[in-house]
Amino acid sequence: MGEHSMKKITWTIKNFSSLQREKICSDPFVVGRCEWRLCAYPKGNNVDYLFLFLEVADHESLPCGWRRNVRFSLSIVNQNTIKRSRQNDEQKWFGEESPRWGRVSMFPLNEIHAKESGYLVNGELKIVAEIEVIAAIGKLDIAEETSTIIETMDINGFQLFPSQLELVSRLLERHPEIASDIRTKNPNLRTGYMSLLLSLIETLRQSPHELSKTDLAEADAALGSMTNAGFKLDWLEKKLDDMAEKKEKEEAGEARVREIEEELKDLNQKCSDLEALLEKQKLELSAAKAPISFDDLDRRTIMEKQSRKKITWTIKNFSSLQCQKLCSDPFVVARCKWRLCTYPKGKNVDYLFLFLEVADHDSLPCGWRRNARYSLTIINQNSVKRYRQNDEQKWFDEKTPRRGRVSMFPLNEIHAKESGYLVNGELEIVAEIEVIEVLGKFDVTEETSTITETMDVNGFQLLPSQMELVSHLLKRHPDIASDFSTKNPNLRTGYMSLLLSLIETLRQSPHQLSYTDLVEADAALESMTNAGFKLDWLEKKVDEMAEKKEKEEGGEIRVREIEEELKDLKQKCSDLEVQLEKEKLELSAANAPISFDDVM
């Protein structure tokens, strides 16, 4: 190929940062009588890296069968220093199926565009390519002055092209007896056999993934023909066997990877289905744990009359307060302790955060609940204008012992001069609170007396706290005690207390009741029925509670089963992912080209 088989090319790309085209190419240049060009994707090719490659310029016009063997390197020049990003030298065959070679992720674009990085100077990016054409098969792009002599060299009776010299020299050095028994004397045939040997070696240097079983069968046939001609190629036969074995491992590995991926996909789908089923079961279990409804009695609580109270809280020196949180003194509404609290400087926002809180919620026993209707008002002390929160009715419990608004009122309006909200540094807040229902222990005990006050209702002596519920009960079921024949006032009162206790028991959630509780409730119901009470409606409640209890226990068992099954499936997924990674590593090893370092 003469003196022009190696060349160094510098490609300067102007206005690199403002290029809008997806792909740009250099002007064609000639190396080794072949036309080449450099190409790049300035904005990357699906990744944030510069995609840079070397390409045969007129590959589409070349005849079938052309090939170019080239050693090349591509560098991005740092124009401020000697530093550069350089791709390691690579030697590749360019052909019809692969007319270009390079790297998708040549260099990070963010480093190229970085200020003072040195890669862009005056908007110019410089790329250096060093190219050496080793061999060219087929028509060359640029014609030389013709000659009747084809330059070859004789090595051990083989006429070789310059591009073949290095490989054949190493081959004969390592295997000097390789052609000692070759019988063919015809120089053209000898040269043809050597070219076939070199092509076979080049074929076996590819990865197993690039070769088909047909390729291996043809390689075996080529090896057989050379052995029959007298070549001693035991070492190459071993390489062919190694390649056939790697090809089998590669195909088996790919099949196993696909199987594991399918199995993993199925397991992940099962996990997803089980998680959906678990969520459904938990919702059903939550419904089963809910107390049965006694809406037909209008109220769910045994308590004194609903209580309502209006509280005024005056905060002194509001503008100079340094504390993050401020609370009023506790006050009592319906035998429950409450307090108002605020964040004078807001909570992460420039608004007054104001809320109502159960004062001693930390000391109350598990299961307590308070249902309250309330409103909170900020008073404008100079006019009738005020900011009032709409009435809200909320449940207060262990998880939510306080209710209110983070953005109750803009602090800048409160502090505004002559706004009327601060007078002599005082801010007035009014809370109106109505306690609707109380579940669990009261905070404040009623005043005791040696005389127990009772009232007669339909021949039953009732405590004031029992009045409301019994009134609702008799209103909804007027015939409840029409056949009740017991005249003794103490026994009558005892039976009514037992009925109220049974109702209170059935108001608990199924989770709070044992099967023993339900058996005892059924016995109490039977004793009252025998005494003459008409309690068909309450018998339905007992049956409903027993059914909910069964559903609750069945649901808990099913949830535990699904959780265990899901845990096992997730462990299987984890094990399969580890196995898949192992199989991929083995497949990657099987796909690696076999080494010729030991024979050449």
Side-chain angles (χ1 to χ4, degrees):
M1 221 167 275
E3 61 185 294
H4 298 296
S5 62
M6 180 181 288
K7 192 173 286 187
K8 185 175 180 179
I9 304 295
T10 299
W11 180 26
T12 300
I13 305 174
K14 298 181 181 293
N15 303 314
F16 181 83
S17 298
S18 59
L19 290 173
Q20 298 302 314
R21 284 180 291 171
E22 182 181 1
K23 176 182 175 183
I24 59 170
C25 294
S26 70
D27 294 328
F29 53 86
V30 177
V31 183
R33 292 174 56 204
C34 303
E35 282 195 343
W36 305 87
R37 65 179 180 178
L38 296 171
C39 295
Y41 283 74
K43 299 184 182 299
N45 190 15
N46 299 323
V47 290
D48 293 326
Y49 283 76
L50 180 67
F51 180 12
L52 182 62
F53 55 93
L54 175 66
E55 183 181 70
V56 176
D58 56 347
H59 60 87
E60 293 178 351
S61 63
L62 293 176
C64 293
W66 69 271
R67 296 183 77 196
R68 308 280 189 268
N69 193 356
V70 178
R71 184 182 295 115
F72 66 98
S73 69
L74 305 174
S75 304
I76 299 174
V77 178
N78 188 315
Q79 301 173 58
N80 291 344
T81 69
I82 59 172
K83 177 183 175 183
R84 62 173 60 184
S85 168
R86 183 185 180 95
Q87 178 179 329
N88 293 334
D89 287 359
E90 293 191 73
Q91 185 171 336
K92 298 288 186 181
W93 275 101
F94 290 71
E96 295 170 76
E97 294 183 359
S98 52
R100 63 189 63 83
W101 287 96
R103 284 193 176 177
V104 176
S105 53
M106 175 66 189
F107 202 76
L109 286 168
N110 60 348
E111 289 191 36
I112 292 175
H113 290 286
K115 189 176 181 181
E116 299 178 354
S117 68
Y119 293 105
L120 287 178
V121 174
N122 298 323
E124 294 180 354
L125 181 72
K126 287 189 177 181
I127 295 168
V128 171
E130 295 179 46
I131 304 160
E132 179 183 6
V133 179
I134 308 298
I137 297 174
K139 178 186 175 184
L140 294 168
D141 309 327
I142 308 299
E144 287 183 336
E145 292 183 2
T146 58
S147 171
T148 58
I149 300 172
I150 299 175
E151 294 184 9
T152 60
M153 295 182 67
D154 184 281
I155 301 290
N156 287 27
F158 296 98
Q159 296 299 315
L160 303 175
F161 295 106
S163 61
Q164 298 172 325
L165 280 174
E166 184 181 2
L167 180 57
V168 174
S169 297
R170 285 186 291 169
L171 193 58
L172 294 173
E173 180 182 351
R174 189 65 184 255
H175 305 283
E177 77 291 348
I178 189 172
S180 59
D181 293 341
I182 189 169
R183 296 177 292 277
T184 303
K185 303 301 180 183
N186 182 288
N188 291 330
L189 291 177
R190 289 175 67 86
T191 299
Y193 273 119
M194 183 55 74
S195 294
L196 180 59
L197 174 59
L198 297 179
S199 296
L200 178 56
I201 292 172
E202 189 66 25
T203 297
L204 294 180
R205 277 177 165 160
Q206 297 180 78
S207 75
H209 188 69
E210 295 175 291
L211 296 175
S212 66
K213 288 190 173 180
T214 302
D215 293 330
L216 294 178
E218 292 173 349
D220 188 64
L223 180 64
S225 69
M226 286 184 290
T227 303
N228 292 337
F231 283 90
K232 292 182 178 180
L233 298 173
D234 295 345
W235 56 275
L236 190 56
E237 187 176 354
K238 291 178 182 177
K239 294 297 179 185
L240 183 57
D241 291 341
D242 288 347
M243 179 60 80
E245 183 180 347
K246 285 175 74 70
K247 184 64 181 176
E248 287 185 5
K249 286 184 178 179
E250 181 236 5
E251 289 189 346
E254 285 185 339
R256 183 63 185 136
V257 164
R258 287 193 296 271
E259 288 173 2
I260 294 174
E261 286 176 338
E262 282 299 315
E263 189 176 354
L264 190 58
K265 180 181 176 183
D266 292 342
L267 279 178
N268 281 325
Q269 184 59 51
K270 287 180 180 178
C271 284
S272 179
D273 295 342
L274 264 185
E275 285 170 345
L277 179 60
L278 179 61
E279 189 62 28
K280 180 182 176 184
Q281 288 291 332
K282 285 182 176 180
L283 288 174
E284 291 179 1
L285 178 59
S286 178
K289 285 184 175 181
I292 59 176
S293 173
F294 276 85
D295 289 344
D296 53 343
L297 297 184
D298 295 333
R299 296 297 184 210
R300 294 180 53 207
T301 184
I302 300 174
M303 62 175 291
E304 60 191 3
K305 289 180 67 176
Q306 298 174 0
S307 297
R308 185 181 183 92
K309 191 172 286 188
K310 185 174 182 180
I311 303 294
T312 299
W313 180 25
T314 300
I315 305 175
K316 298 181 181 294
N317 303 315
F318 180 83
S319 297
S320 59
L321 290 173
Q322 298 301 314
C323 56
Q324 184 181 8
K325 178 181 176 182
L326 183 68
C327 293
S328 71
D329 294 329
F331 51 88
V332 177
V333 183
R335 293 173 56 200
C336 302
K337 287 184 180 180
W338 306 85
R339 64 179 181 180
L340 296 171
C341 294
T342 185
Y343 284 74
K345 298 183 181 300
K347 190 175 184 183
N348 301 325
V349 289
D350 293 326
Y351 283 75
L352 182 69
F353 180 12
L354 182 62
F355 56 92
L356 175 65
E357 183 182 72
V358 176
D360 54 350
H361 58 86
D362 288 332
S363 62
L364 292 176
C366 293
W368 68 270
R369 297 184 77 196
R370 307 280 189 268
N371 192 357
R373 185 182 294 113
Y374 66 95
S375 68
L376 305 174
T377 305
I378 300 174
I379 303 298
N380 188 314
Q381 301 171 56
N382 290 344
S383 70
V384 295
K385 179 183 177 184
R386 59 175 59 187
Y387 180 84
R388 179 189 177 98
Q389 177 185 324
N390 292 333
D391 286 1
E392 292 191 71
Q393 184 173 336
K394 298 285 185 182
W395 276 102
F396 294 72
D397 54 30
E398 296 168 80
K399 291 184 178 180
T400 51
R402 61 190 63 84
R403 298 281 189 174
R405 285 191 178 178
V406 175
S407 53
M408 176 67 185
F409 198 76
L411 286 168
N412 60 350
E413 290 193 36
I414 291 175
H415 290 287
K417 189 176 181 181
E418 298 178 355
S419 68
Y421 293 104
L422 286 178
V423 175
N424 298 323
E426 295 181 353
L427 181 72
E428 283 191 8
I429 296 169
V430 171
E432 295 181 50
I433 304 159
E434 180 183 6
V435 177
I436 309 299
E437 296 175 304
V438 176
L439 298 180
K441 178 184 175 184
F442 288 95
D443 308 330
V444 181
T445 306
E446 289 182 320
E447 292 183 2
T448 57
S449 171
T450 56
I451 300 174
T452 303
E453 296 181 9
T454 60
M455 296 180 66
D456 185 283
V457 177
N458 287 27
F460 296 98
Q461 297 298 314
L462 302 177
L463 296 172
S465 60
Q466 298 172 326
M467 285 291 297
E468 184 180 12
L469 180 58
V470 174
S471 297
H472 288 302
L473 193 58
L474 294 174
K475 181 179 179 182
R476 190 67 186 236
H477 304 284
D479 60 342
I480 190 172
S482 59
D483 294 340
F484 183 53
S485 56
T486 301
K487 305 300 181 185
N488 184 286
N490 290 330
L491 289 177
R492 290 177 67 86
T493 299
Y495 272 114
M496 182 56 73
S497 294
L498 179 59
L499 174 59
L500 298 179
S501 297
L502 177 56
I503 292 172
E504 190 63 24
T505 297
L506 294 178
R507 277 177 169 156
Q508 299 180 75
S509 75
H511 188 68
Q512 294 173 293
L513 297 176
S514 65
Y515 276 111
T516 301
D517 293 330
L518 294 178
V519 170
E520 291 174 351
D522 191 64
L525 178 64
E526 184 178 1
S527 70
M528 287 185 289
T529 303
N530 293 337
F533 281 91
K534 292 182 178 180
L535 299 173
D536 294 345
W537 57 275
L538 191 56
E539 186 176 355
K540 291 178 181 177
K541 298 293 183 183
V542 173
D543 292 341
E544 185 181 346
M545 177 61 80
E547 183 180 348
K548 285 175 75 71
K549 183 66 180 176
E550 286 184 8
K551 286 184 178 179
E552 181 225 10
E553 293 205 341
E556 286 184 338
I557 292 171
R558 183 63 183 136
V559 164
R560 286 195 295 271
E561 289 174 347
I562 294 174
E563 287 175 337
E564 283 299 317
E565 188 177 354
L566 188 57
K567 180 181 176 183
D568 292 342
L569 275 180
K570 287 186 175 180
Q571 184 59 52
K572 287 180 181 177
C573 285
S574 178
D575 294 343
L576 264 186
E577 286 168 350
V578 172
Q579 186 180 352
L580 179 61
E581 190 61 30
K582 179 182 176 183
E583 291 286 347
K584 285 183 175 179
L585 287 174
E586 292 178 0
L587 177 58
S588 178
N591 274 329
I594 58 175
S595 172
F596 277 79
D597 292 344
D598 57 333
V599 294
M600 292 181 60

